[in-house]
Amino acid sequence: AEDAEGGELTYFASGLPPGVSIDPQAGFAMGVLMQPGSHSVRVRVTDGELEASTSFSWTVHDHKLPDVFIETPNEAERYVAGASIAFTGSARDHRGVPIPAPQLSWHLYTHHNQHMHFAGSPAPPGAGGSLTFEDHGDNTSLELCLHATDTERRTGRACRLLLPATVEYTIDTVPSGLTIPWEGVPHETPFTVQTNVGAERDLIAPLEQSGHVFLG
């Protein structure tokens, strides 16, 4: 919710599952889901004078989630930037009945340094597809997840981390001890970097440094 005058808002909720509460200032519902069931939740927000409310349903599933399997690619494989990756998977519900391909969906996430973001769905619903391993800089990996939903709307998932093939380079100058930026970050030579095979990186030498002139 937003207040047109920028005032502070207070949130209230009724009908939340047991073990879950709402933060009155932030409006986040949080806690530990204790038991399955369907809940009709009503959220009310007020700025001290006016108020608004809305309702929605919230279903808590039991532990009988589908078993989901990513069959390919192999966990040990390493990928080169620009390479195509084929993937396949399957799932069974808690009774062991195979879940049809249209109820399988794929999701891709990019891990880079200390953050992660959703990179989209690499294929339409089904038992497989392919994607291209795109380079997003050093210290990057992809995470491919398969979601399966059974006839009772329980959803399970399995994920596989896709790692790039890497190589180490040692960068030095003549004489050593000069500063060279690797991908915009200055380093004193000699230094060693680990980067992705097939990727392009910027290595820039200043024309002049400490009385020395760049030659090649």
Side-chain angles (χ1 to χ4, degrees), residues 137-180:
D138 296 338
N139 195 25
T140 297
S141 61
L142 301 179
E143 186 175 11
L144 180 66
C145 295
L146 173 59
H147 295 238
T149 303
D150 65 15
T151 55
E152 297 172 326
R153 301 186 62 82
R154 297 182 179 92
T155 299
R157 77 169 189 166
C159 295
R160 179 145 300 168
L161 197 61
L162 307 178
L163 300 175
T166 59
V167 63
E168 283 192 349
Y169 288 107
T170 296
I171 311 298
D172 203 356
T173 54
V174 180
S176 295
L178 301 181
T179 299
I180 299 292

Side-chain angles (χ1 to χ4, degrees), residues 63-162:
H63 66 282
K64 300 176 182 179
L65 301 180
D67 293 315
V68 186
F69 311 93
I70 294 179
E71 288 137 10
T72 60
N74 189 292
E75 292 180 344
E77 294 183 59
R78 297 292 182 267
Y79 301 94
V80 175
S84 178
I85 304 170
F87 51 87
T88 57
S90 62
R92 299 190 300 263
D93 65 18
H94 68 94
R95 296 180 295 270
V97 177
I99 294 178
Q103 292 166 228
L104 306 178
S105 61
W106 298 87
H107 304 273
L108 187 65
Y109 302 87
T110 299
H111 296 259
H112 183 213
N113 292 329
Q114 304 303 316
H115 67 273
M116 177 182 75
H117 60 86
F118 179 59
S121 299
S130 63
L131 62 92
T132 299
F133 194 100
E134 297 181 1
D135 178 64
H136 292 276
D138 296 338
N139 195 25
T140 297
S141 61
L142 301 179
E143 186 175 11
L144 180 66
C145 295
L146 173 59
H147 295 238
T149 303
D150 65 15
T151 55
E152 297 172 326
R153 301 186 62 82
R154 297 182 179 92
T155 299
R157 77 169 189 166
C159 295
R160 179 145 300 168
L161 197 61
L162 307 178

